[in-house]
Amino acid sequence: QQASGQSSSKPKKVMVIGGDGYCGWATALHLSNKGYEVAIVDNLVRRLFDHQLGLDSLTPIASIQNRIRRWKSLTGKTIQLFIGDICDFEFLSEAFKSFEPDSAVHFGEQRSAPFSMIDRSRAVYTQNNNVIGTLNVLFAMKEFSEECHLVKLGTMGEYGTPNIDIEEGFLTITHNGRTDTLPYPKQASSFYHLSKVHDSHNIAFTCKAWGIRATDLNQGVVYGIRTDETAMHEELSNRLDYDGIFGTALNRFCVQAAVGHPLTVYGKGGQTRGYLDIRDTVQCVELAIANPAKPGEFRVFNQFTEQFSVNELAKLVTAAGAKLGLDVQTKSVPNPRVEAEEHYYNAKHSKLSELGLVPHLLSDSLLDSLLNFAVQYKDRVDTAQIMPSVSWKKMGAKPKTVSV
Ligand code: NAD
Ligand code: USQ
């Protein structure tokens, strides 16, 4: 098992698509630190969404250029930067030809379920951006980097919440006396989550048809803020979303606790998902790169470390808050989504552990540090952004504008 980009004579080259985002920035720095030669590809559209919707990260974030300059001045390591849209095939082709990646890690998608459910145009944007972007990456690999390994961020939400155990990508079924191993059934519950299902099908097909090598990382909900590298300097700081559109469950609850807002449990709160620390996101991606899929192989890893229901998360944050002297309340909010609120959930996640993942489990100390971080930046919180504003049932074709 190759542990770092430096162990062969020439450093391995990794293209991090979406490298200015939450998971991508932490991963780009981690891989650069481990000796990989890294290039970030990003069109900065995530920063544009913030401007358009009046949102902001809890933490102040430097421009991508300043981030990369700071990294170079601290470590002497260069990260190349390609600013552009992967839906523009000419741009993507030039980036592939110029950088010649050994691996492409693809984080570069519209990743919010609520964003994809705002209105028709956001639903169409999400599926267009995600499905066409991924198709372009597959074509660029076929044309210019046939040996390149695609590490694609999928989501646990592709599986939905079936009443049987969730396997890692494939299910062996016996039907009318015959047995086959087939893709695990997909039951996504937003236009965003569905875009990932479409991506998975396109990737699986091109592995078969063209011999592409790919790993689909079905990631759970990510929490946390600091990694060893982003903690090195405030200009390397990662973003942390807490708003009702881009904020995810545990990160939101910690910020809510810090500002004295009741924790927003949607509906009955039995919604159970897989979760992982952002320090494990970067570790999992590194493991996938260091142990690539074979030509023609379509691998699926379930990338999370623990399962929690929303009620369990609320209890954990309440207890951690009490230790810091915070009086944390919880409020059941009418669920803006259409999803099961009480259900069976047992998802396998052994393949990354078999490759050597040593997880950072959600502990009291971690919750304390996340909460402390939220308290440190609480003056930056716009409490008007906390309540959910996007309804799965009420979305329509009419463009939704945001009023102040
Ligand atoms: P993010 O929105 O913070 O980052 C995505 C980045 O991709 C942004 O910098 C954006 O500008 C860029 N991007 C989007 N479309 C692009 C395009 N067409 N061309 C070039 N760049 C583009 O999201 P994130 O939280 O870092 O998530 C990264 C990936 O991981 C996504 O694919 C997401 O679906 C997946 N994921 C995230 C989580 C989570 O909890 N954050 C959980 C599971 C899976
Ligand atoms: N939830 C609440 N209260 C909140 C926020 C969320 O009860 O304030 C509930 C939601 O209803 C849902 C669950 O918590 O049942 C998770 O919601 P989320 O917003 O944390 O996560 P989700 O919308 O599923 O999306 C996030 C990322 C996405 C990624 C996905 C992984 O934004 O990119 O694909 O997590 S997974 O959930 O495994 O599909």
Short mmCIF file of all heavy atoms in Angstrom, two decimals, residues 325-372:
data_model
loop_
_atom_site.label_atom_id
_atom_site.label_comp_id
_atom_site.label_asym_id
_atom_site.label_seq_id
_atom_site.Cartn_x
_atom_site.Cartn_y
_atom_site.Cartn_z
N GLY A 325 -21.54 25.67 29.85
CA GLY A 325 -22.40 26.68 30.46
C GLY A 325 -23.44 27.23 29.51
O GLY A 325 -24.05 28.28 29.77
N LEU A 326 -23.70 26.52 28.40
CA LEU A 326 -24.73 26.99 27.46
C LEU A 326 -26.04 26.27 27.77
O LEU A 326 -26.05 25.05 27.95
CB LEU A 326 -24.32 26.67 26.01
CG LEU A 326 -23.03 27.30 25.49
CD1 LEU A 326 -22.64 26.66 24.14
CD2 LEU A 326 -23.23 28.81 25.29
N ASP A 327 -27.13 27.03 27.80
CA ASP A 327 -28.44 26.43 28.02
C ASP A 327 -29.06 26.12 26.65
O ASP A 327 -29.62 27.00 26.01
CB ASP A 327 -29.32 27.42 28.82
CG ASP A 327 -30.73 26.88 28.99
OD1 ASP A 327 -30.92 25.65 28.93
OD2 ASP A 327 -31.65 27.71 29.17
N VAL A 328 -28.91 24.87 26.21
CA VAL A 328 -29.32 24.54 24.84
C VAL A 328 -30.74 23.96 24.84
O VAL A 328 -31.02 22.98 25.55
CB VAL A 328 -28.33 23.53 24.20
CG1 VAL A 328 -28.72 23.25 22.76
CG2 VAL A 328 -26.90 24.07 24.29
N GLN A 329 -31.62 24.58 24.08
CA GLN A 329 -33.00 24.10 23.93
C GLN A 329 -33.16 23.46 22.55
O GLN A 329 -32.42 23.79 21.63
CB GLN A 329 -33.98 25.27 24.03
CG GLN A 329 -33.88 26.08 25.31
CD GLN A 329 -34.35 25.27 26.52
OE1 GLN A 329 -35.30 24.51 26.43
NE2 GLN A 329 -33.64 25.43 27.63
N THR A 330 -34.15 22.58 22.43
CA THR A 330 -34.44 21.99 21.11
C THR A 330 -35.89 22.28 20.76
O THR A 330 -36.76 22.28 21.64
CB THR A 330 -34.22 20.46 21.15
OG1 THR A 330 -32.83 20.22 21.31
CG2 THR A 330 -34.67 19.78 19.87
N LYS A 331 -36.14 22.54 19.47
CA LYS A 331 -37.50 22.83 19.05
C LYS A 331 -37.80 21.97 17.82
O LYS A 331 -36.99 21.92 16.89
CB LYS A 331 -37.54 24.30 18.66
CG LYS A 331 -38.89 24.83 18.32
CD LYS A 331 -38.80 26.34 18.16
CE LYS A 331 -39.82 26.81 17.15
NZ LYS A 331 -39.54 28.10 16.60
N SER A 332 -38.93 21.28 17.83
CA SER A 332 -39.28 20.54 16.62
C SER A 332 -39.87 21.52 15.61
O SER A 332 -40.84 22.22 15.88
CB SER A 332 -40.28 19.44 16.94
OG SER A 332 -40.72 18.88 15.73
N VAL A 333 -39.24 21.55 14.44
CA VAL A 333 -39.67 22.47 13.38
C VAL A 333 -40.45 21.64 12.36
O VAL A 333 -40.05 20.51 12.09
CB VAL A 333 -38.39 23.04 12.70
CG1 VAL A 333 -38.71 23.84 11.47
CG2 VAL A 333 -37.56 23.83 13.70
N PRO A 334 -41.57 22.14 11.83
CA PRO A 334 -42.26 21.35 10.79
C PRO A 334 -41.27 20.98 9.69
O PRO A 334 -40.52 21.85 9.24
CB PRO A 334 -43.34 22.30 10.27
CG PRO A 334 -43.52 23.31 11.36
CD PRO A 334 -42.22 23.43 12.09
N ASN A 335 -41.25 19.72 9.30
CA ASN A 335 -40.21 19.27 8.37
C ASN A 335 -40.42 19.88 6.98
O ASN A 335 -41.45 19.63 6.34
CB ASN A 335 -40.21 17.74 8.29
CG ASN A 335 -38.92 17.22 7.68
OD1 ASN A 335 -38.21 17.95 6.97
ND2 ASN A 335 -38.60 15.97 7.95
N PRO A 336 -39.45 20.67 6.50
CA PRO A 336 -39.61 21.26 5.16
C PRO A 336 -39.39 20.24 4.05
O PRO A 336 -39.67 20.51 2.88
CB PRO A 336 -38.49 22.32 5.13
CG PRO A 336 -37.45 21.83 6.08
CD PRO A 336 -38.18 21.05 7.14
N ARG A 337 -38.84 19.05 4.42
CA ARG A 337 -38.51 18.04 3.41
C ARG A 337 -39.57 16.94 3.38
O ARG A 337 -40.37 16.81 4.31
CB ARG A 337 -37.17 17.38 3.75
CG ARG A 337 -36.06 18.39 3.94
CD ARG A 337 -34.72 17.70 4.13
NE ARG A 337 -33.68 18.69 4.37
CZ ARG A 337 -32.39 18.48 4.22
NH1 ARG A 337 -31.96 17.30 3.82
NH2 ARG A 337 -31.53 19.44 4.46
N VAL A 338 -39.51 16.13 2.34
CA VAL A 338 -40.34 14.92 2.31
C VAL A 338 -39.37 13.76 2.53
O VAL A 338 -38.55 13.46 1.66
CB VAL A 338 -41.08 14.79 0.96
CG1 VAL A 338 -41.86 13.48 0.91
CG2 VAL A 338 -42.00 15.98 0.74
N GLU A 339 -39.42 13.17 3.70
CA GLU A 339 -38.49 12.09 4.06
C GLU A 339 -39.09 11.31 5.23
O GLU A 339 -39.94 11.84 5.96
CB GLU A 339 -37.13 12.68 4.48
CG GLU A 339 -37.23 13.60 5.70
CD GLU A 339 -35.92 14.29 6.09
OE1 GLU A 339 -34.88 14.03 5.45
OE2 GLU A 339 -35.94 15.09 7.05
N ALA A 340 -38.63 10.06 5.41
CA ALA A 340 -39.11 9.26 6.54
C ALA A 340 -38.52 9.85 7.82
O ALA A 340 -37.33 10.15 7.89
CB ALA A 340 -38.67 7.82 6.37
N GLU A 341 -39.37 10.03 8.84
CA GLU A 341 -38.90 10.61 10.11
C GLU A 341 -38.66 9.55 11.17
O GLU A 341 -38.09 9.83 12.23
CB GLU A 341 -39.90 11.66 10.61
CG GLU A 341 -39.96 12.86 9.67
CD GLU A 341 -41.02 13.88 10.05
OE1 GLU A 341 -41.70 13.69 11.08
OE2 GLU A 341 -41.17 14.85 9.28
N GLU A 342 -39.12 8.32 10.90
CA GLU A 342 -38.84 7.18 11.79
C GLU A 342 -38.61 6.01 10.86
O GLU A 342 -39.49 5.68 10.06
CB GLU A 342 -40.06 6.88 12.68
CG GLU A 342 -40.25 7.90 13.77
CD GLU A 342 -41.57 7.73 14.51
OE1 GLU A 342 -42.61 7.48 13.85
OE2 GLU A 342 -41.55 7.82 15.75
N HIS A 343 -37.43 5.41 10.92
CA HIS A 343 -37.14 4.37 9.94
C HIS A 343 -35.98 3.50 10.39
O HIS A 343 -35.17 3.90 11.24
CB HIS A 343 -36.79 5.00 8.58
CG HIS A 343 -35.62 5.94 8.65
ND1 HIS A 343 -34.33 5.52 8.47
CD2 HIS A 343 -35.55 7.27 8.91
CE1 HIS A 343 -33.51 6.55 8.61
NE2 HIS A 343 -34.22 7.63 8.89
N TYR A 344 -35.86 2.32 9.78
CA TYR A 344 -34.72 1.44 10.00
C TYR A 344 -33.51 2.03 9.27
O TYR A 344 -33.66 2.61 8.18
CB TYR A 344 -35.06 0.05 9.42
CG TYR A 344 -33.93 -0.94 9.53
CD1 TYR A 344 -33.65 -1.59 10.74
CD2 TYR A 344 -33.13 -1.23 8.42
CE1 TYR A 344 -32.62 -2.49 10.83
CE2 TYR A 344 -32.08 -2.14 8.52
CZ TYR A 344 -31.83 -2.76 9.73
OH TYR A 344 -30.81 -3.65 9.82
N TYR A 345 -32.32 1.91 9.84
CA TYR A 345 -31.12 2.36 9.11
C TYR A 345 -29.92 1.59 9.61
O TYR A 345 -29.54 1.67 10.77
CB TYR A 345 -30.88 3.86 9.33
CG TYR A 345 -29.98 4.47 8.27
CD1 TYR A 345 -30.47 4.78 7.00
CD2 TYR A 345 -28.64 4.74 8.52
CE1 TYR A 345 -29.66 5.34 6.02
CE2 TYR A 345 -27.82 5.30 7.54
CZ TYR A 345 -28.34 5.60 6.30
OH TYR A 345 -27.54 6.15 5.32
N ASN A 346 -29.32 0.82 8.73
CA ASN A 346 -28.10 0.10 9.08
C ASN A 346 -27.26 -0.03 7.83
O ASN A 346 -27.51 -0.86 6.96
CB ASN A 346 -28.43 -1.28 9.66
CG ASN A 346 -27.18 -2.00 10.12
OD1 ASN A 346 -26.21 -1.38 10.56
ND2 ASN A 346 -27.17 -3.32 9.98
N ALA A 347 -26.26 0.86 7.71
CA ALA A 347 -25.46 0.92 6.48
C ALA A 347 -24.06 0.37 6.73
O ALA A 347 -23.41 0.73 7.71
CB ALA A 347 -25.39 2.36 5.99
N LYS A 348 -23.62 -0.51 5.84
CA LYS A 348 -22.26 -1.06 5.94
C LYS A 348 -21.23 0.01 5.59
O LYS A 348 -21.49 0.87 4.74
CB LYS A 348 -22.09 -2.24 4.96
CG LYS A 348 -23.11 -3.34 5.13
CD LYS A 348 -22.75 -4.29 6.27
CE LYS A 348 -23.87 -5.26 6.56
NZ LYS A 348 -24.12 -6.23 5.51
N HIS A 349 -20.06 -0.08 6.22
CA HIS A 349 -19.00 0.88 5.88
C HIS A 349 -17.66 0.28 6.26
O HIS A 349 -16.93 0.82 7.10
CB HIS A 349 -19.22 2.24 6.56
CG HIS A 349 -19.36 2.19 8.04
ND1 HIS A 349 -18.40 2.67 8.90
CD2 HIS A 349 -20.31 1.67 8.83
CE1 HIS A 349 -18.78 2.47 10.14
NE2 HIS A 349 -19.94 1.86 10.14
N SER A 350 -17.32 -0.85 5.64
CA SER A 350 -16.08 -1.52 6.06
C SER A 350 -14.94 -1.37 5.07
O SER A 350 -13.79 -1.60 5.41
CB SER A 350 -16.37 -2.99 6.32
OG SER A 350 -16.91 -3.56 5.16
N LYS A 351 -15.23 -0.95 3.82
CA LYS A 351 -14.16 -1.02 2.81
C LYS A 351 -13.04 -0.02 3.09
O LYS A 351 -11.87 -0.32 2.86
CB LYS A 351 -14.74 -0.81 1.41
CG LYS A 351 -15.61 -1.98 0.96
CD LYS A 351 -15.96 -1.86 -0.51
CE LYS A 351 -16.98 -2.89 -0.93
NZ LYS A 351 -17.46 -2.64 -2.29
N LEU A 352 -13.38 1.17 3.57
CA LEU A 352 -12.33 2.16 3.86
C LEU A 352 -11.54 1.75 5.12
O LEU A 352 -10.33 1.95 5.18
CB LEU A 352 -12.92 3.56 3.99
CG LEU A 352 -13.21 4.20 2.62
CD1 LEU A 352 -14.27 5.29 2.73
CD2 LEU A 352 -11.94 4.76 1.98
N SER A 353 -12.24 1.13 6.09
CA SER A 353 -11.52 0.63 7.27
C SER A 353 -10.52 -0.43 6.85
O SER A 353 -9.40 -0.49 7.36
CB SER A 353 -12.47 0.02 8.30
OG SER A 353 -13.53 0.89 8.53
N GLU A 354 -10.94 -1.29 5.90
CA GLU A 354 -10.03 -2.34 5.43
C GLU A 354 -8.78 -1.74 4.77
O GLU A 354 -7.71 -2.33 4.79
CB GLU A 354 -10.74 -3.28 4.45
CG GLU A 354 -11.69 -4.25 5.15
CD GLU A 354 -12.75 -4.82 4.23
OE1 GLU A 354 -12.58 -4.78 2.98
OE2 GLU A 354 -13.78 -5.31 4.74
N LEU A 355 -8.93 -0.55 4.19
CA LEU A 355 -7.76 0.11 3.58
C LEU A 355 -6.92 0.87 4.60
O LEU A 355 -5.88 1.41 4.27
CB LEU A 355 -8.21 1.09 2.48
CG LEU A 355 -8.75 0.47 1.19
CD1 LEU A 355 -9.14 1.57 0.21
CD2 LEU A 355 -7.71 -0.45 0.54
N GLY A 356 -7.41 0.93 5.86
CA GLY A 356 -6.58 1.54 6.91
C GLY A 356 -7.15 2.79 7.55
O GLY A 356 -6.45 3.47 8.30
N LEU A 357 -8.43 3.12 7.28
CA LEU A 357 -9.02 4.31 7.90
C LEU A 357 -9.05 4.17 9.43
O LEU A 357 -9.59 3.20 9.95
CB LEU A 357 -10.44 4.53 7.38
CG LEU A 357 -11.24 5.63 8.07
CD1 LEU A 357 -10.64 7.00 7.78
CD2 LEU A 357 -12.70 5.60 7.63
N VAL A 358 -8.48 5.15 10.12
CA VAL A 358 -8.58 5.19 11.59
C VAL A 358 -9.46 6.39 11.91
O VAL A 358 -9.03 7.54 11.79
CB VAL A 358 -7.19 5.37 12.23
CG1 VAL A 358 -7.30 5.33 13.75
CG2 VAL A 358 -6.22 4.30 11.74
N PRO A 359 -10.73 6.15 12.28
CA PRO A 359 -11.68 7.27 12.36
C PRO A 359 -11.50 8.16 13.58
O PRO A 359 -11.04 7.72 14.63
CB PRO A 359 -13.04 6.57 12.41
CG PRO A 359 -12.78 5.20 12.90
CD PRO A 359 -11.37 4.84 12.51
N HIS A 360 -11.86 9.42 13.41
CA HIS A 360 -12.02 10.35 14.54
C HIS A 360 -13.49 10.28 14.91
O HIS A 360 -14.33 10.86 14.21
CB HIS A 360 -11.71 11.78 14.11
CG HIS A 360 -10.29 12.00 13.70
ND1 HIS A 360 -9.83 11.75 12.43
CD2 HIS A 360 -9.22 12.48 14.39
CE1 HIS A 360 -8.54 12.04 12.36
NE2 HIS A 360 -8.15 12.49 13.53
N LEU A 361 -13.82 9.56 15.99
CA LEU A 361 -15.24 9.43 16.31
C LEU A 361 -15.74 10.67 17.05
O LEU A 361 -14.95 11.42 17.65
CB LEU A 361 -15.46 8.17 17.15
CG LEU A 361 -15.05 6.88 16.42
CD1 LEU A 361 -15.24 5.66 17.32
CD2 LEU A 361 -15.82 6.69 15.11
N LEU A 362 -17.04 10.88 16.98
CA LEU A 362 -17.64 12.06 17.62
C LEU A 362 -17.57 11.87 19.13
O LEU A 362 -18.25 11.02 19.69
CB LEU A 362 -19.08 12.21 17.16
CG LEU A 362 -19.82 13.43 17.69
CD1 LEU A 362 -19.15 14.71 17.24
CD2 LEU A 362 -21.27 13.43 17.21
N SER A 363 -16.73 12.66 19.78
CA SER A 363 -16.56 12.49 21.22
C SER A 363 -16.91 13.81 21.89
O SER A 363 -17.10 14.83 21.22
CB SER A 363 -15.10 12.17 21.52
OG SER A 363 -14.30 13.26 21.08
N ASP A 364 -16.93 13.79 23.22
CA ASP A 364 -17.22 15.01 23.96
C ASP A 364 -16.20 16.09 23.62
O ASP A 364 -16.54 17.24 23.41
CB ASP A 364 -17.12 14.74 25.46
CG ASP A 364 -18.32 13.96 25.94
OD1 ASP A 364 -19.22 13.71 25.11
OD2 ASP A 364 -18.34 13.59 27.12
N SER A 365 -14.92 15.67 23.53
CA SER A 365 -13.89 16.68 23.32
C SER A 365 -14.03 17.32 21.95
O SER A 365 -13.84 18.52 21.78
CB SER A 365 -12.50 16.08 23.51
OG SER A 365 -12.31 15.06 22.56
N LEU A 366 -14.43 16.51 20.98
CA LEU A 366 -14.60 17.09 19.64
C LEU A 366 -15.78 18.07 19.66
O LEU A 366 -15.69 19.18 19.13
CB LEU A 366 -14.88 16.01 18.59
CG LEU A 366 -15.19 16.73 17.29
CD1 LEU A 366 -13.94 17.05 16.53
CD2 LEU A 366 -16.18 16.01 16.47
N LEU A 367 -16.87 17.64 20.30
CA LEU A 367 -18.04 18.53 20.35
C LEU A 367 -17.69 19.82 21.07
O LEU A 367 -18.08 20.91 20.66
CB LEU A 367 -19.20 17.84 21.05
CG LEU A 367 -20.17 17.14 20.11
CD1 LEU A 367 -21.26 16.44 20.90
CD2 LEU A 367 -20.79 18.12 19.13
N ASP A 368 -16.90 19.69 22.17
CA ASP A 368 -16.47 20.90 22.89
C ASP A 368 -15.71 21.84 21.96
O ASP A 368 -15.93 23.04 21.95
CB ASP A 368 -15.51 20.55 24.05
CG ASP A 368 -16.22 19.84 25.18
OD1 ASP A 368 -17.46 19.77 25.13
OD2 ASP A 368 -15.53 19.34 26.09
N SER A 369 -14.80 21.25 21.16
CA SER A 369 -13.96 22.14 20.34
C SER A 369 -14.78 22.76 19.21
O SER A 369 -14.60 23.92 18.86
CB SER A 369 -12.72 21.42 19.84
OG SER A 369 -13.06 20.49 18.85
N LEU A 370 -15.71 21.98 18.65
CA LEU A 370 -16.58 22.56 17.61
C LEU A 370 -17.45 23.68 18.19
O LEU A 370 -17.60 24.75 17.60
CB LEU A 370 -17.50 21.47 17.07
CG LEU A 370 -17.50 21.16 15.58
CD1 LEU A 370 -18.51 20.10 15.26
CD2 LEU A 370 -17.69 22.37 14.73
N LEU A 371 -17.98 23.40 19.40
CA LEU A 371 -18.82 24.41 20.05
C LEU A 371 -18.01 25.65 20.40
O LEU A 371 -18.45 26.78 20.19
CB LEU A 371 -19.44 23.84 21.33
CG LEU A 371 -20.71 23.04 21.14
CD1 LEU A 371 -21.09 22.33 22.43
CD2 LEU A 371 -21.85 23.95 20.71
N ASN A 372 -16.79 25.43 20.89
CA ASN A 372 -15.93 26.56 21.23
C ASN A 372 -15.63 27.41 20.00
O ASN A 372 -15.60 28.64 20.07
CB ASN A 372 -14.60 26.06 21.82
CG ASN A 372 -14.71 25.90 23.32
OD1 ASN A 372 -15.19 26.81 23.99
ND2 ASN A 372 -14.29 24.76 23.84
#
